[in-house]
Amino acid sequence: QVQLVPSGGGLVQPGGSLRLSCAASGSISSLYAMGWYRQAPGKQRELVADITMGSSTNYADSVKGRFTISRDNAKNTVYLQMNSLKPEDTAVYYCNARVIVPPKDYWGQGTQVTVSS
């Protein structure tokens, strides 16, 4: 099993910044990628960004140029730097970890990000 512990999130005004962190622990020998998803009330969960342990990254079009995902493999931690935040970024953000053996996705508890003036 993999445990994911997120930190960060909160209330920020439009144009502000936040940084999310997520540390993985447990059976992580087959960890392949980590990332962030978000879900607004009544909407589907969507990918925000992810990064493989080989440093390949992927971003949602809506956050390109504003968000940056990074990782520290030694700490098994992924970060999401969120700049120029917009009200439409408001959502619960979930940390995700993907393992190969056995094939499975793990999810951390959500952390609320609210962008409002």
Side-chain angles (χ1 to χ4, degrees), residues 38-41 86-93 112-116:
R38 67 187 181 188
Q39 186 170 23
K86 303 175 179 179
E88 51 262 45
D89 296 317
T90 296
V92 177
Y93 284 68
Q112 178 71 45
V113 172
T114 301
V115 184
S116 176

Side-chain angles (χ1 to χ4, degrees), residues 28-46:
I28 56 175
S29 61
S30 298
L31 186 64
Y32 171 71
M34 297 182 70
W36 292 93
Y37 289 68
R38 67 187 181 188
Q39 186 170 23
K43 298 182 179 179
Q44 297 292 317
R45 187 174 299 187
E46 64 176 357

Side-chain angles (χ1 to χ4, degrees), residues 1-20:
Q1 291 289 98
V2 174
Q3 295 80 46
L4 301 173
V5 180
S7 63
L11 175 64
V12 66
Q13 296 200 35
S17 298
L18 288 171
R19 190 172 87 150
L20 305 181

Side-chain angles (χ1 to χ4, degrees), residues 44-83:
Q44 297 292 317
R45 187 174 299 187
E46 64 176 357
L47 173 70
V48 178
D50 63 15
I51 184 168
T52 69
M53 309 320 284
S55 301
S56 177
T57 59
N58 186 43
Y59 295 91
D61 288 342
S62 60
V63 307
K64 288 180 179 177
R66 300 188 297 120
F67 291 10
T68 302
I69 192 167
S70 61
R71 56 94 180 95
D72 184 335
N73 286 350
K75 296 180 179 179
N76 296 308
T77 299
V78 65
Y79 307 92
L80 185 68
Q81 179 66 45
M82 303 184 292
N83 297 327

